[in-house]
Amino acid sequence: MSAAQNESRKRGKKRYVSGQQGKRWKGSRELEVGMQGILITCNMNERKCTAEAFNLLNDYADKLYGPEKLHDNKGNNSSSEEDEAEEEEDVDVALKKEVAQLQSSRRKQERRFQALDSGANNVIFIKTHNLEPDKLIHHILSDLHTTKKKKSRVILRMLPVTGTCKAFQEDMLKYLTTFLEPWFKTPNSATYQIAFKARNSSHNKREEIIKSIASLVGKLNPKNKVDLTNPELTIIVEVIKSVCCVSVARDYTLYRKYNVQEVVKEDAPKADAAKTRTEPNAAEQKDEHNGGEAEEKKVAAEEKEEEEKKKVAAEEEEEEKKVAAEEEEEKNEAENEEGVNEGEGGGE
């Protein structure tokens, strides 16, 4: 076999192996039950969205929690010569020791933020470690709302995920019974709304889920009331395939449903609307004055035009009367001439 053929076979084998490794790696980096993190929606560009998310999250996390401390992953493993020298060590003990070392190394390698496959298009999941995602996201949106400074281009919404369970109605209600207690169980109470969204999942009906959760919240404390206009708390329920992500968010309406693009836009002036109507400023008074003058000029012009029309109509009427009088005079003269002619003819 030629060298070129051998090289071609090696390249083909390498591509096959790397493809298989890629599939196994992807399977180990998916959203699963038991995780906490942040669901981030975007518009078609997930790679750029992930990069923006890491920059934004790390920037604010450093301010809240301090810079991330990375551990040295170099363990104090014994050398191969020492392992060979310990011939009397039991094989099972050696295997357990090695597994424990690998697990410890993996825990040390776990970063504060880790991007995982969410299971839905245009949605990424950032797994969090050693921080509270709901507080971090609320802090980010609060700052964006205050400064009105745009810090992302492709990120749309950033939803905290403080709990996950299986996406079946029975499992969801069982999990939420305990999960919602810190906010809604007596003596705690609040006005609330439920924001439910399902992706790549058809076995959960929106109306049934919302009614079931509302009933559950009512049982925790009858003082809990639904408010769809300006609730104190919003129960976020995001279902993706077989995983249900939940959280309880504050200022959900104020921060435009946690949309980082909308929250930086200027708010429409609502509070000063009544004052504006009752106490107009100098510019508005000037505008009203100018508007009044313009209206007066318009009315005067219309009156002048009306007078012109009346004048023209009167002149036309006078002209018609004059023409009619002339016609009458001509008719009388013609009759007189006929009478004279008849008299002359009779005399002859």
Side-chain angles (χ1 to χ4, degrees), residues 47-316:
R47 185 182 295 273
K48 190 171 182 179
C49 177
T50 304
E52 282 190 358
F54 277 130
N55 291 334
L56 190 64
L57 293 172
N58 280 308
D59 182 27
Y60 283 94
D62 288 346
K63 296 175 183 177
L64 279 179
Y65 308 105
E68 184 177 12
K69 296 179 181 179
L70 302 178
H71 298 278
D72 185 4
N73 293 327
K74 293 181 180 179
N76 296 323
N77 299 334
S78 59
S79 63
S80 58
E81 290 81 2
E82 291 175 348
D83 291 337
E84 293 175 358
E86 296 175 357
E87 295 178 356
E88 296 180 358
E89 184 178 14
D90 185 75
V91 177
D92 292 336
V93 175
L95 287 174
K96 291 179 180 179
K97 183 179 179 180
E98 185 175 357
V99 170
Q101 289 173 347
L102 289 172
Q103 291 176 344
S104 176
S105 176
R106 287 175 181 173
R107 284 194 295 269
K108 290 179 180 179
Q109 290 177 0
E110 191 167 5
R111 301 292 300 271
R112 186 157 57 186
F113 301 111
Q114 184 181 9
L116 304 181
D117 181 13
S118 69
N121 293 330
N122 301 323
V123 181
I124 63 173
F125 180 75
I126 303 293
K127 181 183 177 183
T128 57
H129 181 64
N130 289 337
L131 59 83
E132 297 172 292
D134 54 339
K135 292 184 178 180
L136 175 60
I137 296 303
H138 187 273
H139 176 73
I140 293 174
L141 289 162
S142 175
D143 184 66
L144 295 177
H145 181 264
T146 302
T147 62
K148 300 299 180 183
K149 185 178 180 180
K150 189 174 181 179
K151 294 188 177 182
S152 66
R153 297 184 63 183
V154 297
I155 295 176
L156 297 179
R157 301 172 69 199
M158 303 183 76
L159 303 176
V161 177
T162 53
T164 50
C165 63
K166 292 181 179 179
F168 297 96
Q169 187 167 343
E170 293 181 0
D171 297 283
M172 292 163 62
L173 294 177
K174 182 179 179 180
Y175 181 79
L176 288 172
T177 300
T178 305
F179 178 83
L180 296 176
E181 287 183 355
W183 296 276
F184 299 104
K185 187 176 181 179
T186 306
N188 300 320
S189 64
T191 58
Y192 72 97
Q193 67 174 348
I194 301 170
F196 176 83
K197 176 74 174 180
R199 296 179 175 88
N200 298 336
S201 176
S202 58
H203 58 273
N204 288 311
K205 294 184 179 180
R206 173 186 172 84
E207 292 77 10
E208 292 182 2
I209 296 297
I210 291 178
K211 287 181 180 179
S212 299
I213 297 175
S215 176
L216 172 61
V217 174
K219 292 178 181 178
L220 292 175
N221 189 344
K223 294 183 179 180
N224 297 319
K225 301 297 180 182
V226 175
D227 185 352
L228 303 180
T229 304
N230 189 26
E232 296 172 330
L233 301 173
T234 298
I235 303 172
I236 300 175
V237 181
E238 292 276 335
V239 173
I240 302 179
K241 290 187 176 179
S242 61
V243 180
C244 174
C245 305
V246 296
S247 64
V248 177
R250 294 181 291 118
D251 301 315
Y252 188 73
T253 304
L254 177 64
Y255 295 156
R256 309 291 182 88
K257 298 182 179 180
Y258 281 25
N259 188 314
V260 299
Q261 302 297 329
E262 296 294 327
V263 77
V264 297
K265 295 181 180 179
E266 293 294 337
D267 296 328
K270 296 180 180 179
D272 297 335
K275 185 177 180 180
T276 301
R277 287 193 297 270
T278 57
E279 300 179 4
N281 56 33
E284 291 172 338
Q285 290 177 349
K286 184 177 179 180
D287 291 341
E288 290 178 359
H289 179 68
N290 292 338
E293 289 184 350
E295 185 66 23
E296 290 177 359
K297 290 180 179 179
K298 183 179 179 181
V299 171
E302 290 177 351
E303 290 178 352
K304 186 176 180 180
E305 184 179 357
E306 188 67 24
E307 289 178 359
E308 290 290 338
K309 289 181 178 179
K310 290 181 178 179
K311 186 178 180 180
V312 171
E315 291 177 353
E316 289 179 352

Side-chain angles (χ1 to χ4, degrees), residues 6-24:
N6 284 332
E7 186 66 23
S8 177
R9 290 185 62 187
K10 288 180 181 179
R11 285 198 301 268
K13 184 176 181 181
K14 186 176 181 180
R15 283 196 295 269
Y16 174 78
V17 173
S18 63
Q20 295 297 317
Q21 289 175 345
K23 290 182 179 180
R24 288 197 299 272

